[in-house]
Coordinates of all heavy atoms in Angstrom, one line a residue:
L20 N 60.3 41.4 -15.7 CA 60.1 42.8 -15.3 C 60.7 43.8 -16.2 O 61.9 43.9 -16.2 CB 60.6 43.0 -13.8 CG 59.9 42.2 -12.7 CD1 60.7 40.9 -12.4 CD2 59.8 43.0 -11.4
P21 N 59.9 44.5 -16.9 CA 60.5 45.6 -17.8 C 60.8 46.8 -16.9 O 60.1 47.1 -15.9 CB 59.3 46.0 -18.7 CG 58.2 45.1 -18.4 CD 58.4 44.5 -17.1
I22 N 62.0 47.4 -17.1 CA 62.5 48.5 -16.2 C 62.8 49.7 -17.1 O 63.6 49.6 -18.0 CB 63.8 48.0 -15.6 CG1 63.8 46.6 -15.0 CG2 64.3 49.1 -14.6 CD1 63.1 46.5 -13.7
Y23 N 62.2 50.8 -16.7 CA 62.5 52.1 -17.4 C 62.7 53.1 -16.3 O 61.7 53.5 -15.7 CB 61.4 52.4 -18.4 CG 61.7 53.7 -19.1 CD1 62.9 53.9 -19.8 CD2 60.8 54.8 -19.1 CE1 63.2 55.1 -20.4 CE2 61.1 56.0 -19.7 CZ 62.3 56.1 -20.4 OH 62.5 57.3 -21.0
N24 N 63.9 53.6 -16.1 CA 64.2 54.6 -15.0 C 63.6 54.3 -13.7 O 62.8 55.1 -13.1 CB 63.7 55.9 -15.5 CG 64.4 56.4 -16.7 OD1 65.4 55.8 -17.1 ND2 64.0 57.5 -17.3
E25 N 63.9 53.1 -13.2 CA 63.3 52.7 -11.9 C 64.3 52.7 -10.8 O 64.2 51.9 -9.8 CB 62.6 51.3 -12.0 CG 61.5 51.3 -13.0 CD 60.2 52.0 -12.6 OE1 60.3 52.7 -11.6 OE2 59.2 51.8 -13.3
V52 N 64.3 43.4 -17.8 CA 64.6 44.0 -19.2 C 64.8 45.5 -19.0 O 63.9 46.2 -18.7 CB 63.4 43.7 -20.1 CG1 63.8 44.2 -21.5 CG2 63.1 42.3 -20.2
N53 N 66.0 45.9 -19.2 CA 66.3 47.4 -19.1 C 65.9 48.0 -20.4 O 66.5 47.7 -21.4 CB 67.7 47.6 -18.8 CG 68.0 49.1 -18.7 OD1 67.3 49.8 -18.0 ND2 68.9 49.6 -19.5
D54 N 64.8 48.8 -20.3 CA 64.3 49.4 -21.6 C 64.9 50.8 -21.9 O 64.3 51.8 -21.9 CB 62.7 49.6 -21.4 CG 62.0 50.0 -22.7 OD1 62.7 49.9 -23.7 OD2 60.9 50.5 -22.6
N82 N 65.3 52.9 -25.6 CA 63.9 52.8 -25.0 C 62.9 52.4 -26.2 O 62.8 53.1 -27.1 CB 63.5 54.1 -24.4 CG 62.1 54.1 -23.9 OD1 61.2 54.7 -24.4 ND2 61.9 53.3 -22.8
F83 N 62.4 51.2 -26.0 CA 61.4 50.7 -27.0 C 60.0 50.8 -26.5 O 59.1 50.5 -27.3 CB 61.7 49.3 -27.4 CG 62.9 49.1 -28.4 CD1 64.2 49.0 -27.9 CD2 62.7 49.2 -29.7 CE1 65.2 48.8 -28.8 CE2 63.7 49.1 -30.6 CZ 65.0 48.9 -30.1
G84 N 59.8 51.1 -25.3 CA 58.4 51.2 -24.7 C 58.1 49.9 -24.0 O 58.6 48.8 -24.3
H85 N 57.2 50.0 -23.1 CA 56.8 48.9 -22.2 C 56.4 47.6 -22.9 O 56.9 46.5 -22.5 CB 55.7 49.4 -21.2 CG 55.2 48.3 -20.4 ND1 53.9 48.0 -20.4 CD2 55.8 47.5 -19.4 CE1 53.7 47.0 -19.5 NE2 54.8 46.7 -18.9
Q86 N 55.6 47.7 -23.9 CA 55.1 46.5 -24.5 C 56.2 45.7 -25.2 O 56.2 44.5 -25.2 CB 54.0 46.9 -25.5 CG 52.8 47.7 -24.9 CD 51.9 46.8 -24.1 OE1 51.4 45.8 -24.5 NE2 51.7 47.2 -22.8
A88 N 59.4 46.0 -24.5 CA 60.4 45.5 -23.4 C 59.8 44.2 -22.8 O 60.5 43.2 -22.6 CB 60.6 46.6 -22.4
A89 N 58.5 44.2 -22.6 CA 57.9 43.0 -22.0 C 58.1 41.8 -23.0 O 58.4 40.7 -22.6 CB 56.4 43.3 -21.7
M104 N 55.4 41.1 -14.8 CA 54.9 42.1 -13.8 C 55.6 43.4 -13.9 O 56.8 43.5 -14.4 CB 55.0 41.5 -12.4 CG 56.4 41.3 -11.9 SD 56.5 40.9 -10.1 CE 56.2 39.2 -10.1
D105 N 55.0 44.5 -13.4 CA 55.6 45.8 -13.4 C 56.6 45.9 -12.3 O 56.5 45.2 -11.3 CB 54.6 46.9 -13.1 CG 53.7 47.2 -14.3 OD1 53.9 46.6 -15.4 OD2 52.8 48.1 -14.2
A106 N 57.6 46.7 -12.5 CA 58.7 46.8 -11.5 C 58.6 47.9 -10.5 O 59.6 48.5 -10.1 CB 60.0 46.9 -12.3
D107 N 57.4 48.2 -10.2 CA 57.2 49.3 -9.2 C 56.4 48.9 -8.0 O 56.0 49.7 -7.2 CB 56.5 50.5 -9.8 CG 55.2 50.2 -10.4 OD1 54.8 49.0 -10.3 OD2 54.5 51.1 -11.0
Q109 N 53.6 47.8 -7.9 CA 52.1 47.9 -8.0 C 51.5 46.6 -8.3 O 50.3 46.4 -8.1 CB 51.8 48.9 -9.1 CG 52.0 50.4 -8.7 CD 51.2 51.3 -9.6 OE1 51.6 51.4 -10.8 NE2 50.2 51.9 -9.1
R136 N 42.0 50.6 -6.8 CA 43.3 51.2 -7.0 C 43.5 52.1 -5.8 O 42.7 52.9 -5.5 CB 43.3 52.0 -8.3 CG 43.4 51.2 -9.5 CD 43.0 52.1 -10.7 NE 43.3 51.4 -11.9 CZ 44.4 51.5 -12.6 NH1 45.3 52.3 -12.2 NH2 44.5 50.8 -13.7
E139 N 46.2 56.6 -6.5 CA 46.4 57.1 -7.8 C 45.4 58.3 -8.0 O 44.4 58.3 -7.4 CB 46.2 56.0 -8.9 CG 47.4 55.1 -8.9 CD 47.2 54.0 -10.0 OE1 46.3 53.2 -9.9 OE2 48.0 54.0 -10.9
K143 N 43.9 59.6 -13.2 CA 44.4 58.3 -13.6 C 43.3 57.3 -13.5 O 43.2 56.4 -14.4 CB 45.6 58.0 -12.8 CG 46.2 56.6 -13.0 CD 47.4 56.6 -14.0 CE 47.7 55.2 -14.4 NZ 48.8 55.1 -15.3
R208 N 45.1 47.2 -5.9 CA 46.4 47.7 -6.5 C 47.0 48.8 -5.6 O 46.4 49.8 -5.5 CB 46.1 48.3 -7.9 CG 47.4 48.6 -8.6 CD 47.3 48.6 -10.1 NE 48.4 48.1 -10.7 CZ 49.1 48.7 -11.7 NH1 48.8 49.8 -12.1 NH2 50.2 48.1 -12.2
R211 N 52.4 53.1 -6.3 CA 53.8 52.9 -6.6 C 54.7 53.0 -5.4 O 54.5 53.9 -4.6 CB 54.2 54.0 -7.5 CG 54.9 53.6 -8.8 CD 55.1 54.8 -9.7 NE 55.4 54.3 -11.0 CZ 56.6 53.8 -11.3 NH1 57.6 53.8 -10.4 NH2 56.8 53.2 -12.5
E215 N 58.1 57.8 -10.2 CA 56.9 58.3 -10.8 C 56.4 57.4 -11.9 O 57.2 56.6 -12.4 CB 57.2 59.7 -11.4 CG 57.7 60.6 -10.4 CD 57.5 62.1 -10.8 OE1 57.7 62.3 -12.0 OE2 57.1 62.9 -9.9
T216 N 55.2 57.6 -12.3 CA 54.6 56.7 -13.4 C 55.4 57.0 -14.7 O 55.8 58.1 -15.0 CB 53.1 57.0 -13.6 OG1 52.8 56.2 -14.8 CG2 52.8 58.4 -13.9
K217 N 55.7 56.0 -15.4 CA 56.4 56.1 -16.7 C 55.3 56.0 -17.8 O 55.7 55.9 -19.0 CB 57.4 55.0 -16.9 CG 58.4 54.8 -15.7 CD 59.3 56.0 -15.5 CE 60.2 55.9 -14.3 NZ 59.5 55.7 -13.0
Y218 N 54.1 56.1 -17.4 CA 53.0 56.1 -18.4 C 52.2 57.4 -18.3 O 51.1 57.4 -17.8 CB 52.0 54.9 -18.2 CG 52.2 53.8 -19.1 CD1 52.9 52.6 -18.8 CD2 51.8 53.9 -20.4 CE1 53.1 51.6 -19.6 CE2 51.9 52.8 -21.3 CZ 52.6 51.7 -20.9 OH 52.8 50.7 -21.8
K222 N 51.6 58.6 -23.4 CA 51.9 57.1 -23.6 C 50.7 56.3 -23.5 O 50.5 55.3 -24.2 CB 53.0 56.6 -22.7 CG 54.4 56.9 -23.1 CD 55.4 56.1 -22.4 CE 56.8 56.4 -22.8 NZ 57.8 55.7 -22.1
M223 N 49.8 56.7 -22.6 CA 48.6 56.0 -22.4 C 47.7 56.1 -23.6 O 47.1 55.2 -24.1 CB 47.9 56.6 -21.1 CG 46.6 55.8 -20.8 SD 46.8 55.2 -19.1 CE 45.1 55.1 -18.6
Ligands
UDP401 N1 58.2 50.8 -18.6 C1 59.1 50.4 -19.6 N2 59.2 51.2 -20.7 C2 58.6 52.4 -20.8 C3 57.7 52.8 -19.8 C4 57.5 52.0 -18.7 O1 59.7 49.3 -19.5 O2 58.8 53.1 -21.8 C5 58.0 49.9 -17.4 C6 58.2 50.6 -16.1 O3 59.5 50.6 -15.6 C7 57.3 49.7 -15.2 C8 56.2 49.3 -16.1 O4 56.7 49.5 -17.4 O5 58.0 48.6 -14.7 C9 54.9 50.0 -15.9 O6 55.1 51.4 -15.9 P1 54.4 52.4 -14.9 O7 54.4 51.7 -13.5 O8 55.1 53.7 -14.9 O9 53.0 52.5 -15.4 P2 51.6 52.7 -14.6 O10 51.6 51.7 -13.5 O11 51.7 54.1 -14.0 O12 50.5 52.6 -15.6

Side-chain angles (χ1 to χ4, degrees):
L20 296 94
I22 313 279
Y23 180 56
N24 293 352
E25 300 288 11
V52 183
N53 179 53
D54 187 16
N82 178 248
F83 280 92
H85 173 241
Q86 302 286 303
M104 65 169 86
D105 283 0
D107 56 359
Q109 281 198 293
R136 288 166 170 262
E139 283 181 295
K143 174 96 194 180
R208 188 156 219 232
R211 232 174 194 281
E215 302 204 320
T216 175
K217 310 296 177 303
Y218 257 104
K222 278 197 179 173
M223 185 118 155

